[in-house]
Amino acid sequence: MNTVFYRWPGLKAALLGALLGLGLLLPFVLVRSLGAGDWKLAGALGACLGPRQLLAVLMGTILVAGAMALVVVIWKGRLKRTLWNIAGCWERCSACGCQHRRYRSTIRSRRRFRLVWPWR
């Protein structure tokens, strides 16, 4: 649509926005902390909005998602446990730059989740 309405500058903005959206979220897709559908949605949003507006939308999304996660953690009464887990992960990651240690806890938690919810 940008190309139809704004010709070449619209095409340039759409391509830059799509590349920015896909490029910013690619590391999260590669470590499997973000799904490919979300990644493609960010690329499509970037193509529709352009790079400048995409950054504003992504920052707003990050803030809203963080606030929602905080509400859920407080609602379930797990704030202290979550903070201890974050501190432990931060300590392990900062003490040793090894990649394999970083993902051990994630793999373990996924295994626990599969034990509780085997159909997922």
Side-chain angles (χ1 to χ4, degrees):
M1 295 304 283
N2 285 336
T3 306
V4 171
F5 290 127
Y6 301 111
R7 307 278 181 215
W8 291 111
L11 177 65
K12 180 182 172 186
L15 289 175
L16 285 175
L19 288 174
L20 181 67
L22 294 172
L24 283 175
L25 298 180
L26 180 63
F28 300 106
V29 173
L30 292 177
V31 297
R32 297 180 185 222
S33 66
L34 184 71
D38 296 328
W39 182 58
K40 290 182 279 190
L41 178 63
L45 275 174
C48 291
L49 299 175
R52 197 172 258 191
Q53 289 84 5
L54 176 68
L55 288 175
V57 167
L58 287 178
M59 290 305 294
T61 303
I62 290 169
L63 291 174
V64 169
M68 288 171 54
L70 186 62
V71 167
V72 169
V73 166
I74 292 171
W75 181 271
K76 294 199 176 224
R78 295 184 173 194
L79 182 62
K80 184 177 178 182
R81 181 178 176 188
T82 301
L83 291 175
W84 277 109
N85 287 340
I86 291 171
C89 288
W90 186 263
E91 182 181 336
R92 284 191 303 270
C93 290
S94 63
C96 172
C98 301
Q99 293 290 331
H100 63 87
R101 286 189 179 190
R102 210 175 274 183
Y103 302 113
R104 265 191 214 156
S105 62
T106 305
I107 292 168
R108 284 185 196 138
S109 65
R110 285 185 183 171
R111 286 181 188 156
R112 280 189 221 126
F113 184 75
R114 285 192 184 136
L115 290 175
V116 176
W117 304 103
W119 55 86
R120 286 201 172 210

